[in-house]
């Protein structure tokens, strides 16, 4: 859980939110955190889940950005280019592309809107993140994702 708190602290800093991070609720595998944006006064909502990977990622955050609903994966390696397309699947179904943007050593994956309906009904999301010379497969539980998404989605348009 120490990794989750570190992850949330960095994520909230990007939103210019204050340090009043508060656990609001838990939805199966997802934890709902909130803080107030110091500029707008509106709540900043972030969902956090543990992840399983064959590399360094052990926590994933769900948040709103200008691109839509994003998943944040911490990675230990940097990439030269600012982004890439990764492959993802829900419950080992058909693979789809996910746009990933690299900021420092974090990888931000935008969930395609057309995949959200499948995700809310699914059990697990598998994303293959790329490093400079290798790939890392990350599995995130989707148990509780629907409730976390329902809480987060309405705030996306008003906070970005």
């Amino acid at each position: 859980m120490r990794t989750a708190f570190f992850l949330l602290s960095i994520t909230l800093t990007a939103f210019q939110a204050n340090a009043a991070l508060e656990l609001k609720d838990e939805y199966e595998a997802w934890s709902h955190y909130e803080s107030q944006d110091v500029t707008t006064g509106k709540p900043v909502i972030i969902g956090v889940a543990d992840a399983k990977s064959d590399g360094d990622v052990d926590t994933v955050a769900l948040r709103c950005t200008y691109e839509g609903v994003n998943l944040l994966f911490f990675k230990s390696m940097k990439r030269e280019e600012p982004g890439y397309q990764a492959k993802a699947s829900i419950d080992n179904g058909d693979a789809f592309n996910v746009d990933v943007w690299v900021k420092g050593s974090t990888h931000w994956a935008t969930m395609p809107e057309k995949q959200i309906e499948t995700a809310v009904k699914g059990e697990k999301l598998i994303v293959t993140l790329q490093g400079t010379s290798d790939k890392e497969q990350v599995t995130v539980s989707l148990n509780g994702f629907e409730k976390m998404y329902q809480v987060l989605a309405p705030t996306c348009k008003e906070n970005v």
Side-chain angles (χ1 to χ4, degrees), residues 73 75 79 81-87 97-102 106-109 127-131 134 136:
F73 301 87
K75 293 279 294 164
R79 292 181 58 90
E81 69 271 19
Y84 60 92
Q85 281 204 333
K87 291 291 183 188
N97 288 327
V98 177
D99 290 328
V100 178
W101 296 102
V102 181
T106 59
H107 294 222
W108 299 87
V127 180
T128 302
L129 300 174
Q130 299 175 4
D134 61 349
E136 177 176 356

Side-chain angles (χ1 to χ4, degrees), residues 52-123:
K52 295 179 183 171
S53 75
D54 53 10
D56 300 322
V57 176
D58 64 0
T59 307
V60 173
L62 180 71
R63 57 162 276 209
C64 297
T65 67
Y66 290 106
E67 294 85 20
V69 175
N70 273 250
L71 295 167
L72 164 63
F73 301 87
F74 269 103
K75 293 279 294 164
S76 63
M77 63 187 94
K78 294 188 179 195
R79 292 181 58 90
E80 296 299 319
E81 69 271 19
Y84 60 92
Q85 281 204 333
K87 291 291 183 188
S89 66
I90 297 170
D91 296 335
N92 294 319
D94 292 337
F96 55 91
N97 288 327
V98 177
D99 290 328
V100 178
W101 296 102
V102 181
K103 298 174 184 175
S105 61
T106 59
H107 294 222
W108 299 87
T110 304
M111 274 293 279
E113 220 169 290
K114 61 185 174 187
Q115 296 298 334
I116 296 292
E117 187 175 316
T118 305
V120 299
K121 296 175 185 172
E123 293 292 320

Side-chain angles (χ1 to χ4, degrees), residues 19-50:
L21 182 64
E22 185 179 349
L23 176 62
K24 289 292 192 175
D25 212 334
E26 294 191 25
Y27 317 114
E28 297 179 60
W30 290 85
S31 298
H32 166 186
Y33 287 90
E34 279 188 32
S35 184
Q36 293 297 105
D37 184 301
V38 294
T39 306
T40 66
K42 294 181 181 180
V44 176
I45 298 174
I46 298 173
V48 177
D50 291 332

